[in-house]
Amino acid sequence: MNFNPFKRTMLATVVTLSTASFYFAQTSDTLQSARDIEQVVLSGVADIAKDRKTPVAVSTIREAVIVERLGNQEFPEILNTTPSVYATKGGGGFGDSRINVRGFDQRNTAVMINGVPVNDMENGAVYWSNWAGLSDVTSAMQVQRGLGSSKLAIASVGGTINVLTRAADKKKQGNVMASVGNDGYHKTLFSYNTGKYESGWSSSILMSRTAGSMYADGTEFEGYNYYFALGFNPSAKHDFQFTITGAPQWHNQRSFQSKISDHIKYGGTEEDPNRKYNQNWGYLNGEEYSMTRNYYHKPVMSLNWDWKFNSDTKLNSVVYASFGRGGGSGDAGGIDNKSYTNLPRTADGLIRFDDIVKWNQGGTVADFGAPDANPFEADGNRRNGLIRRASINSHNWFGIISSLNHKFSENINATVGIDARKYDGMHYRVVSDLLGNRGYTDNSNVNNRPNRITDTFDASASWNPFGGKTNDIEDQMAYSNDGNVNWLGGFGQVEYTNDVLSAFIQGSVSNQGFQRVDYMLFEPAEQKSKKVDLVGFNVKGGANYNINENHNVFFNAGYYERQPFFGAVFLNNRNDVNPDLTNEKITSFEIGYGFRSSFFDANLNVYSTSWDDIYKRTSTRVNGESFVVNMIGMGEVHNGIEFDFNAKPAKFMNLFGMLSIGDWDYNANPTAHFIDDATNTVVDTKSLPLDGLKVGDAAQLTAALGADFKVADWFNVDAQYRYADNLYSAFDPQTVLDGKTNQGEAVKLPSYGLVDFGATFKWNFSNAQGLKLRFNLNNVFDTTYIAESRTSLAADANAANNWNGINKNNEVYFGFGRTWNASIAYTF
């Protein structure tokens, strides 16, 4: 598919004017065309950084690169060769990837789609499985590291990822694509754009289906994607765009990291651990069955209106709505007081689901313990039967963003606007599969105790784009509560530009209103908590100076006070308001240098970010049981340097590379509250000795080098190498709960380097018709490496108990081995 910028111009002037890196535009196009990404925008509310103008560190990926090189990788992984970005596949399930920017996870990196924020309103999370089809409709993707150019009061501690989708007025074109890959992966896609009619109307439609398995065992999935855009441009003053997109899916997960020793024990060797091992699945009646299955549908619809009053004044507005429905499954009840993680397994380490059903029905399973005296019944006390439950996390979300821009002179313009959102989250559990039991008895609801549940609900996503009803309280178990968040914000910016200098100052303020409603812990008159209003703000500024046509320098600085997440307002899954509420405080400074020429571009940035009074929520396991951990009062300092370049030494060759070196540390000792996931009660409170430890979960040193060769008009190849080092394990709160404080220090994981390769064959039959074949090979040399570690156990004194210097009892996710993908696309 050839890249075709939309004909529309951007209707909202982006913050200031920057140093941007476009080394991802490694195609046959010129370097200059790669800098024109600001033309690719659906709505004027999207703040896109401009090269040598906006004073932020930024990298942009165009549609052609995403279409060709993503293959069957996860969407965030396309950013893995940008500075200070570390994206992994997480557990390896479909859409279970995660991304860190400058050492900050995706809860603290703002993700925007056409300028609209999509981070969860309660906890900042981004679930990429909800956006599994986003890569199909993306026209450009830009990551702004650090403060970013968005005017909104968003959670951009690490940076901002702005995804721009196709507009309805894209040129008239159709596309049919089919793709296959390792482990039964297959995908089909159809799209068509009408182009803009003389009447001003235009439309675009896309539909796709993806299914198969991921690299890890027990990760079957099926996902769909639909996208529809309708545009109307009645005059030069008005432009309307309506879009709706959704990606209903289900996928079996690898939710728990496994010990290295288990990767060796179950199908692996000391030299070659079984990287595919997954402890969360087995067979039921001869078919793959997973205890941890995710299913969700989060359609998003929006209406954009760009109104140009005159040459100096314009108003850009978007109203949007999202109705998310679905959840993820796990176990409840137990056998002989054991959860499924502690039951005997097959010789391959799989869950024995047929034996679980047999035991639940009163049969004898010798190594499961004595038969239940009360078969066919299950309860929450881990005695009578084991079931699969589903944790539902649904929501209704409405919002509006509107900004007014006025140009006072050739050099000065200003923008003011509002950002209003209403979010209602619904959280509870239901029975997904009784696994041979006739019912489940739950004692969690003080208004209905005991509650015997016999209805089950399939772990599949609803196709209803408007959400549909939630489950009745009689069918709910364990907990049932709503999280309501109302947001009202305002923002403003003044910008000065001339031929060589651009500068801006920007500020925003927001009020977040929080309320929690608990339907099980309290009687009806006491179910609603008090309302809590918290005010946050930010102020930032910066400038870019173009020394000449080759050299430019920039700086930016900012201070944020961000409201804590919902879980910090109402601690420990109750309606009690945290008496020590305080805003999180972020201070950031950055300076940068850029060089531009006809054949070589380069950027150099130095940054420092401090983050105080942090609230984080994580999970851990103790003796096979799951706990939620609320950590309050954390602090982090992130410093680093980044370099990237793009070179075109010959017409047929493009080179790109980057190096980023970070120094990220904790600087406070937070208080942690441990909550039993099964009973929803606090079991312990501890101080965590984090001060001075390295921040884990992201490589603090990354490097990449790649090349693209245009061998002929119809054939090109590309390859890239990326390297990760100074990668540390996450801090595991379990070590403190166990009293092993000496085991809490982050463990440095082995460094690794990966090579990816791709080849493209294309034939153009006419200006409108063409055929393209694409082949991708990832991790060409099948390198074995640890992508992340949940635990932080120090190396054992006995070397036989270590693997590559890492204690075998550490629970890790190995990265994927060699994977491949091939596709054929016909454009008409």
Side-chain angles (χ1 to χ4, degrees), residues 330-561:
D331 65 314
I335 290 177
D336 196 26
N337 291 314
K338 297 184 181 72
S339 69
Y340 79 96
T341 57
N342 292 325
L343 290 174
R345 292 174 172 261
T346 69
D348 296 325
L350 306 185
I351 303 171
R352 292 158 47 184
F353 283 109
D354 289 325
D355 283 340
I356 289 174
V357 171
K358 181 179 179 180
W359 194 95
N360 284 341
Q361 294 179 341
T364 300
V365 181
D367 52 358
F368 276 18
D372 191 6
N374 188 21
F376 303 108
E377 301 298 327
D379 65 32
N381 296 319
R382 296 201 181 280
R383 289 194 304 269
N384 299 331
L386 183 68
I387 68 165
R388 187 175 76 172
R389 51 80 183 162
S391 298
I392 306 300
N393 292 288
S394 299
H395 67 258
N396 297 327
W397 184 348
F398 305 91
I400 179 172
I401 301 172
S402 185
S403 64
L404 178 69
N405 177 266
H406 181 72
K407 188 175 182 180
F408 291 94
S409 68
E410 287 298 316
N411 304 113
I412 300 175
N413 73 81
T415 301
V416 295
I418 62 167
D419 171 19
R421 315 175 207 172
K422 177 176 173 55
Y423 174 97
D424 298 313
M426 296 151 279
H427 317 290
Y428 55 87
R429 285 180 175 173
V430 295
V431 176
S432 171
D433 193 332
L434 286 167
L435 293 175
N437 292 287
R438 290 179 178 171
Y440 180 86
T441 301
D442 180 66
N443 293 301
S444 303
N445 190 346
V446 298
N447 302 298
N448 184 20
R449 182 185 290 168
N451 180 27
R452 190 169 188 279
I453 302 170
T454 57
D455 290 336
T456 61
F457 299 89
D458 187 37
S460 299
S462 166
W463 274 78
N464 187 343
F466 301 103
K469 64 171 292 186
T470 56
N471 298 94
D472 296 331
I473 188 67
E474 292 80 9
D475 293 320
Q476 298 175 18
M477 54 174 280
Y479 58 80
S480 177
N481 57 77
D482 295 347
N484 303 324
V485 183
N486 294 322
W487 174 300
L488 181 61
F491 54 86
Q493 176 178 288
V494 177
E495 180 182 5
Y496 173 86
T497 63
N498 60 30
D499 292 338
V500 297
L501 175 68
S502 60
F504 80 100
I505 185 168
Q506 180 269 338
S508 64
V509 62
S510 65
N511 180 86
Q512 289 191 50
F514 301 89
Q515 187 175 39
R516 188 176 187 276
V517 184
D518 198 305
Y519 300 101
M520 286 195 178
L521 294 181
F522 305 99
E523 295 180 355
E526 301 174 342
Q527 290 176 350
K528 291 185 178 181
S529 74
K530 65 176 292 187
K531 295 182 179 180
V532 179
D533 290 290
L534 299 175
V535 176
F537 68 91
N538 72 53
V539 59
K540 58 185 177 183
N544 179 85
Y545 179 68
N546 294 328
I547 300 171
N548 54 37
E549 64 180 8
N550 301 117
H551 305 275
N552 70 287
V553 292
F554 78 90
F555 83 92
N556 63 60
Y559 176 76
Y560 285 14
E561 285 211 8

Side-chain angles (χ1 to χ4, degrees), residues 306 544 627 648 662 739:
D306 296 338
N544 179 85
F627 291 82
K648 199 170 185 65

Side-chain angles (χ1 to χ4, degrees), residues 27 96 135 167 180 228 326 370 399 485 497 507 554 569 606 614 676 756:
T27 67
D96 286 344
S135 61
V180 295
F228 175 71
V485 183
T497 63
F554 78 90
V569 178
V606 179
I614 308 168
D676 189 318
D756 297 331

Side-chain angles (χ1 to χ4, degrees), residues 258-371:
S258 297
K259 293 179 180 180
I260 297 174
S261 58
D262 286 342
H263 285 276
I264 296 172
K265 177 181 178 181
Y266 298 122
T269 65
E270 291 281 349
E271 295 74 24
D272 185 21
N274 180 9
R275 291 165 287 177
K276 291 175 170 280
Y277 178 64
N278 176 7
Q279 63 172 298
N280 299 125
W281 77 290
Y283 290 100
L284 179 61
N285 298 323
E287 296 184 357
E288 179 179 312
Y289 188 90
S290 178
M291 189 63 84
T292 54
R293 175 179 170 125
N294 178 273
Y295 57 101
Y296 216 84
H297 182 202
K298 180 185 170 65
V300 178
M301 53 202 76
S302 64
L303 176 63
N304 298 270
W305 177 24
D306 296 338
W307 181 5
K308 186 176 181 179
F309 298 127
N310 51 51
S311 59
D312 296 325
T313 307
K314 46 202 170 186
L315 179 70
N316 314 113
S317 304
V318 57
V319 293
Y320 60 93
S322 174
F323 306 94
R325 294 293 186 271
S329 67
D331 65 314
I335 290 177
D336 196 26
N337 291 314
K338 297 184 181 72
S339 69
Y340 79 96
T341 57
N342 292 325
L343 290 174
R345 292 174 172 261
T346 69
D348 296 325
L350 306 185
I351 303 171
R352 292 158 47 184
F353 283 109
D354 289 325
D355 283 340
I356 289 174
V357 171
K358 181 179 179 180
W359 194 95
N360 284 341
Q361 294 179 341
T364 300
V365 181
D367 52 358
F368 276 18

Side-chain angles (χ1 to χ4, degrees), residues 563-624:
Q563 300 96 324
F565 290 139
F566 190 91
V569 178
F570 303 103
L571 286 176
N572 307 330
N573 296 339
R574 299 186 63 86
N575 287 357
D576 303 325
V577 177
N578 181 358
D580 300 317
L581 275 176
T582 184
N583 282 347
E584 299 178 4
K585 301 167 183 65
I586 302 103
T587 305
S588 182
F589 303 92
E590 182 171 10
I591 58 173
Y593 163 77
F595 176 81
R596 299 291 182 271
S597 73
S598 59
F599 62 90
F600 183 76
D601 289 355
N603 302 291
L604 179 67
N605 313 305
V606 179
Y607 66 89
S608 178
T609 302
S610 64
W611 186 20
D612 299 308
D613 295 318
I614 308 168
Y615 164 82
K616 282 191 177 182
R617 183 182 178 94
T618 187
S619 60
T620 187
R621 283 181 289 149
V622 180
N623 298 323

